């Protein structure tokens, strides 16, 4: 028998965790778009209208349509608006990459230079989007964090040459975003990788299940814990040095220590920002693990779409692992501290 998803009522008295507030008054606010991108390199900003009017929707070999990018975005946005009813839900920021260009059947014999605009087709192979719920927030070390929701989709994960329609894969996340810079805070509990669905209704159900399982207060507590632990300059140098060494280890040695998905170029970015980032950089020859985590997530903005979520989660794994070593909770990440 198919189980029925039960969504428990959400408390609305206080969305700023840890603070007492008077009875909430809902104020209608216009839907706005953030001015800071959550993903920068190797992508282009795209609007929902562009996806709808300027892009075709790929099909399976039997000509059945796949779920369109814009339908994926609308599904997650609608689910968030329903689950967080009464809150302000901002419009999505959309980033796309790996454009695939084509032409209409009527123009097959033309040279590329002779094609009319109406004879050209295109779609984006990779998509990432995110939007915030600004009325659900918290403040850590003077920085405002807003609830953030989004998703990632990559057409290369599908075999569109199948003779019949197959399962489609989508990744969705819910977590916190730094308002000042759009750095994304992601944990494994707030991300569902490669959800396999056959239609938009199944996708909607999966997204609601993700929202229902998300523990916002737990993740805020985790970030507050990181803000209370510091790396000295010597310890920071030890960590980034080991991170650079990790890339050169043999596969057997890499398996013996926790995984690291951050690339060499991103580690270089962390080193530069350690000295130059006025908000999250070094202060008094030390850096909190909360700030260190933000340097990692800032560098993660330079990832390709298909690696963005995995590296975002890994940035949290590394930061929490270092905290556990320094606090004497476990030694799993002790190799990175020498």
């Amino acid at each position: 028998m198919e189980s029925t998803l039960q969504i428990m009522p959400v408390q609305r008295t206080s969305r700023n965790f840890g603070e007492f507030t008077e009875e909430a008054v809902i104020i209608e606010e216009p839907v706005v778009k953030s001015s800071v991108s959550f993903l920068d390199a190797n992508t282009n900003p795209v609007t929902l209208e562009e996806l709808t009017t300027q892009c075709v929707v790929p099909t399976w070999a039997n000509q059945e349509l796949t779920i369109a990018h814009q339908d994926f975005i609308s599904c997650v946005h609608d689910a968030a608006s329903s689950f967080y009813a009464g809150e302000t839900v901002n419009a999505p920021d959309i980033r796309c990459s790996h454009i695939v260009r084509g032409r209409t059947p009527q123009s097959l014999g033309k040279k590329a230079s002779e094609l009319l605009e109406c004879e050209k087709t295109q779609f984006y192979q990779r998509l990432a989007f995110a939007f915030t719920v600004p009325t659900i927030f918290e403040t850590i070390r003077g920085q405002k964090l807003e609830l953030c929701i989004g998703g990632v989709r990559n057409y290369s994960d599908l075999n569109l040459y199948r003779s019949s329609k197959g399962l489609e894969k989508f990744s969705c996340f819910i977590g916190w975003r730094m308002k000042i810079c759009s750095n994304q805070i992601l944990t494994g509990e707030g991300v569902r990788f490669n959800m396999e669905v056959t239609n938009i209704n199944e996708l909607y159900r999966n997204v609601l299940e993700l929202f229902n399982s998300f523990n916002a207060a737990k993740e805020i507590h985790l970030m507050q814990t990181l803000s209370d632990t510091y790396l000295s300059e010597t310890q920071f140098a030890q960590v980034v040095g080991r991170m650079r060494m990790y890339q050169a280890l043999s596969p057997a040695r890499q398996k013996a220590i926790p995984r690291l998905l951050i690339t060499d170029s991103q580690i270089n970015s962390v080193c530069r920002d350690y000295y130059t980032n006025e908000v999250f950089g070094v202060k008094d020859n030390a850096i909190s693990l909360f700030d260190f985590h933000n340097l990692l997530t800032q560098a993660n903005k330079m990832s390709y779409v298909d690696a963005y979520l995995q590296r975002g989660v890994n940035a949290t794994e590394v930061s929490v692992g270092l905290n556990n070593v320094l606090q004497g909770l476990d030694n799993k990440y002790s190799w990175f501290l020498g």
Side-chain angles (χ1 to χ4, degrees), residues 35-140:
S35 58
V36 183
S37 174
F38 70 99
L39 185 60
D40 297 322
N42 312 307
T43 59
N44 298 313
V46 180
T47 65
L48 269 176
E49 181 181 3
E50 289 177 72
L51 290 176
T52 304
T53 62
Q54 299 180 23
C55 295
V56 297
V57 181
T59 65
W60 301 94
N62 64 357
Q63 295 302 305
E64 285 193 73
L65 286 173
T66 59
I67 296 174
H69 283 335
Q70 59 269 25
D71 291 339
F72 172 34
I73 297 170
S74 297
C75 173
V76 177
H77 196 271
D78 289 347
S81 299
S82 174
F83 190 83
Y84 295 104
E87 306 289 354
T88 299
V89 180
N90 282 346
D93 298 304
I94 306 170
R95 310 290 298 189
C96 291
S97 69
H98 293 72
I99 191 169
V100 179
R101 302 186 188 278
R103 59 175 68 193
T104 60
Q106 295 78 11
S107 59
L108 292 180
K110 286 189 175 182
K111 296 180 179 179
S113 59
E114 298 174 345
L115 289 174
L116 302 175
E117 287 302 315
C118 62
E119 296 172 328
K120 300 176 183 178
T121 65
Q122 67 177 40
F123 70 90
Y124 292 96
Q125 187 183 74
R126 302 177 187 179
L127 163 86
F129 70 94
F131 54 87
T132 58
V133 185
T135 49
I136 304 177
F137 66 94
E138 183 53 277
T139 302
I140 296 179

Side-chain angles (χ1 to χ4, degrees), residues 39 87 127 136 147 177 220 225 243 253-254 271 319:
L39 185 60
E87 306 289 354
L127 163 86
I136 304 177
L147 188 69
R177 182 196 280 188
I220 286 296
T225 301
M243 292 173 79
R253 291 199 64 186
Q254 286 185 2
C271 292
S319 301

Side-chain angles (χ1 to χ4, degrees), residues 60-275:
W60 301 94
N62 64 357
Q63 295 302 305
E64 285 193 73
L65 286 173
T66 59
I67 296 174
H69 283 335
Q70 59 269 25
D71 291 339
F72 172 34
I73 297 170
S74 297
C75 173
V76 177
H77 196 271
D78 289 347
S81 299
S82 174
F83 190 83
Y84 295 104
E87 306 289 354
T88 299
V89 180
N90 282 346
D93 298 304
I94 306 170
R95 310 290 298 189
C96 291
S97 69
H98 293 72
I99 191 169
V100 179
R101 302 186 188 278
R103 59 175 68 193
T104 60
Q106 295 78 11
S107 59
L108 292 180
K110 286 189 175 182
K111 296 180 179 179
S113 59
E114 298 174 345
L115 289 174
L116 302 175
E117 287 302 315
C118 62
E119 296 172 328
K120 300 176 183 178
T121 65
Q122 67 177 40
F123 70 90
Y124 292 96
Q125 187 183 74
R126 302 177 187 179
L127 163 86
F129 70 94
F131 54 87
T132 58
V133 185
T135 49
I136 304 177
F137 66 94
E138 183 53 277
T139 302
I140 296 179
R141 295 180 64 84
Q143 298 300 324
K144 186 175 182 180
L145 284 70
E146 297 177 341
L147 188 69
C148 184
I149 297 166
V152 169
R153 198 260 190 96
N154 185 357
Y155 268 119
S156 66
D157 290 334
L158 307 181
N159 178 13
L160 295 177
Y161 297 102
R162 288 172 55 103
S163 59
S164 61
K165 183 177 180 178
L167 293 171
E168 300 192 46
K169 297 180 181 180
F170 301 88
S171 297
C172 291
F173 66 86
I174 179 170
W176 298 94
R177 182 196 280 188
M178 299 294 298
K179 182 175 176 60
I180 189 174
C181 56
S182 289
N183 289 348
Q184 188 69 53
I185 298 170
L186 295 173
T187 67
E189 294 182 4
V191 181
R192 294 291 183 273
F193 295 106
N194 295 324
M195 296 187 302
E196 295 185 335
V197 302
T198 59
N199 56 62
I200 203 73
N201 291 331
E202 289 182 8
L203 179 60
Y204 188 89
R205 177 187 174 86
N206 275 269
V207 173
L208 284 181
E209 289 175 344
L210 173 61
F211 295 165
N212 193 48
S213 64
F214 178 68
N215 189 331
K218 180 180 178 181
E219 300 212 355
I220 286 296
H221 175 73
L222 181 64
M223 291 301 110
Q224 289 172 332
T225 301
L226 293 182
S227 71
D228 294 331
T229 305
Y230 287 80
L231 292 172
S232 67
E233 188 168 71
T234 300
Q235 289 172 323
F236 175 82
Q238 180 71 47
V239 169
V240 296
R242 289 283 187 163
M243 292 173 79
R244 290 294 301 272
M245 291 171 62
Y246 179 90
Q247 316 298 332
L249 293 177
S250 66
R253 291 199 64 186
Q254 286 185 2
K255 289 182 180 179
I257 56 181
R259 67 173 186 168
L260 179 70
L261 302 181
I262 312 301
T263 66
D264 277 354
S265 61
Q266 290 170 339
I267 295 170
N268 290 339
S269 176
V270 168
C271 292
R272 287 193 301 270
D273 285 347
Y274 175 80
Y275 291 108

